[in-house]
Amino acid sequence: MAPTSNKQWTIEGQDGFESLKFDDKAPVPTLGDHDVLVQFHSASLNYRDLIIPKGQYPFPQRDHVVPCSDGAGIVEAIGSQVTRFKTGDKVVTLFYQGHLAGSVTSEITSTGLGGMIDGTLRQYGTFNEQGLVSMPETLNYSQAGTLSCAALTAWNGLYGLESKALKPGDTVLTQGTGGVSMSALQFAKAAGARVISTTSSSSKAETLKSLGADHVINYKTDPNWGETVKSLTPGSVGVDHVLEIGGPVTLAQSLKAIKMEGVISIIGFVGGAAKEQPTFLDCLSNLCTVRGISVGSRMQFEAMNRAIDINGIKPIVDEKVFGLEEAKEAYQYMVSLVVVF
């Protein structure tokens, strides 16, 4: 029987988390010929979701949007022209609904779930069939509901530049214990790479080691950690890949850690602003590639999911889970986790 009502959150204004509004009698989205109606079983938060209600997100967003990009659920109904899915299939949302393959365009950045297009913080949502992927067979809904943003971003950081894609024996530098970094650690180890991680506490260091990190450096006690990282690589030549999460405050150290012809993928700026930042000449003097990335394509998502199933990779999910009605509490909890990385 088709659902007749829907519970959902929307963002009304840019007043922080007070802009989050709950509606327990929202309409069920209309199903078009090429659309899939998904009943969500899980959704997850990313750093991006914390700054959108504050008006700090650098990419397109609109008012009254349903937040969140990440979600997993089951197909409740399909439009008359849908061929990719059938009722009962388990699916995961694609972050950029228009990014099927190839490079990102300005048009694609306007198709972000939870930014310009209604996202996953609701019971039911309709999506064009091209904007969904099949859920990995080896994951549950909670695990699969974390893949759309952080995991896919990590995969793109390691494999998106095909001429310099991660290879067995490469060395990868990750920063902190956020979703992108933890996913990158798992993907890199599955590929036979060496991983060096930075963090701020001994407890987080133990978590990283338990996931296979070969070396863990406390960036608070070792402010010149870039050179330390380089010294830990074979021949002290530097790392092949850096997944740059901190932004302005960590990029200078990442440049010290990178090898010649290595790749720094700039993903976030959770470390905040810095008075002094590296310049393009620093990239030249290190003879490295510095690339900004924004999540990834459906083709990359499907490749990542195959790797997850084949290697038995299980996303790291926080033990604390919130109900849909408790979304504001979940946002506040997320804030407490990202003040340090």
Side-chain angles (χ1 to χ4, degrees):
M1 183 176 178
T4 57
S5 63
N6 190 22
K7 296 179 180 180
Q8 68 178 30
W9 288 86
T10 54
I11 299 175
E12 314 290 340
Q14 298 180 350
D15 299 320
F17 300 158
E18 291 306 310
S19 299
L20 292 166
K21 306 298 180 184
F22 183 65
D23 185 353
D24 61 357
K25 296 180 180 179
V28 177
T30 303
L31 188 68
D33 289 344
H34 297 276
D35 290 342
V36 174
L37 178 65
V38 178
Q39 179 185 15
F40 286 108
H41 286 244
S42 72
S44 62
L45 293 173
N46 295 281
Y47 179 72
R48 162 190 188 258
D49 300 307
L50 305 184
I51 62 176
I52 285 179
K54 301 176 182 179
Q56 299 173 354
Y57 188 55
F59 294 101
Q61 64 183 89
R62 66 172 174 86
D63 210 13
H64 312 299
V65 73
V66 175
C68 298
S69 59
D70 293 28
I74 191 166
V75 174
E76 184 77 15
I78 60 173
S80 61
Q81 301 300 311
V82 170
T83 59
R84 298 188 69 239
F85 301 101
K86 64 182 184 301
T87 301
D89 284 350
K90 297 178 180 180
V91 295
V92 184
T93 49
L94 177 65
F95 184 102
Y96 284 129
Q97 291 286 284
H99 194 187
L100 305 186
S103 302
V104 178
T105 65
S106 59
E107 290 80 11
I108 285 174
T109 63
S110 295
T111 66
L113 289 184
M116 290 297 291
I117 296 177
D118 286 337
T120 62
L121 205 56
R122 49 180 167 164
Q123 281 184 305
Y124 297 95
T126 56
F127 305 88
N128 186 284
E129 64 173 323
Q130 304 299 335
L132 298 168
V133 298
S134 296
M135 191 172 115
E137 296 179 358
T138 55
L139 301 186
N140 59 36
Y141 286 116
S142 295
Q143 294 166 334
T146 68
L147 299 177
S148 305
C149 183
L152 184 54
T153 300
W155 184 268
N156 188 2
L158 297 174
Y159 292 102
L161 194 59
E162 294 185 8
S163 63
K164 295 181 181 291
L166 180 69
K167 303 182 298 296
D170 281 355
T171 303
V172 175
L173 171 63
T174 67
Q175 299 173 351
T177 52
V180 173
S181 297
M182 298 290 260
S183 296
L185 168 56
Q186 292 177 297
F187 294 151
K189 294 307 297 182
R194 178 184 296 99
V195 178
I196 303 173
S197 301
T198 65
T199 189
S200 60
S201 71
S202 56
S203 61
K204 292 180 178 179
E206 291 305 313
T207 299
L208 291 164
K209 290 176 181 177
S210 70
L211 292 173
D214 297 277
H215 302 281
V216 181
I217 300 169
N218 188 318
Y219 63 83
K220 286 190 173 180
T221 59
D222 185 358
N224 200 29
W225 51 265
E227 291 185 0
T228 303
V229 168
K230 195 168 191 174
S231 71
L232 293 171
T233 62
S236 297
V237 298
V239 301
D240 299 275
H241 286 273
V242 177
L243 276 78
E244 176 55 63
I245 306 297
V249 299
T250 54
L251 185 53
Q253 292 299 317
S254 293
L255 284 164
K256 291 181 179 180
I258 197 70
K259 70 182 292 187
M260 287 187 179
E261 297 295 336
V263 179
I264 300 176
S265 295
I266 300 182
I267 294 161
F269 45 90
V270 299
K275 291 183 179 180
E276 296 184 6
Q277 301 181 37
T279 68
F280 290 116
L281 288 178
D282 293 291
C283 303
L284 175 61
S285 62
N286 287 277
L287 297 180
C288 64
T289 299
V290 180
R291 60 190 289 254
I293 63 173
S294 184
V295 201
S297 69
R298 194 184 79 193
M299 182 179 291
Q300 290 173 321
F301 204 156
E302 291 168 340
M304 178 186 76
N305 285 349
R306 291 193 295 270
I308 286 172
D309 276 340
I310 291 171
N311 292 285
I313 296 171
K314 304 297 183 185
I316 308 303
V317 180
D318 196 286
E319 294 179 355
K320 194 167 183 61
V321 178
F322 297 83
L324 180 60
E325 292 83 356
E326 302 172 307
K328 281 190 179 180
E329 289 85 349
Y331 273 73
Q332 293 290 355
Y333 178 72
M334 181 74 171
V335 169
S336 71
L337 300 179
V338 298
V339 291
V340 294
F341 59 94

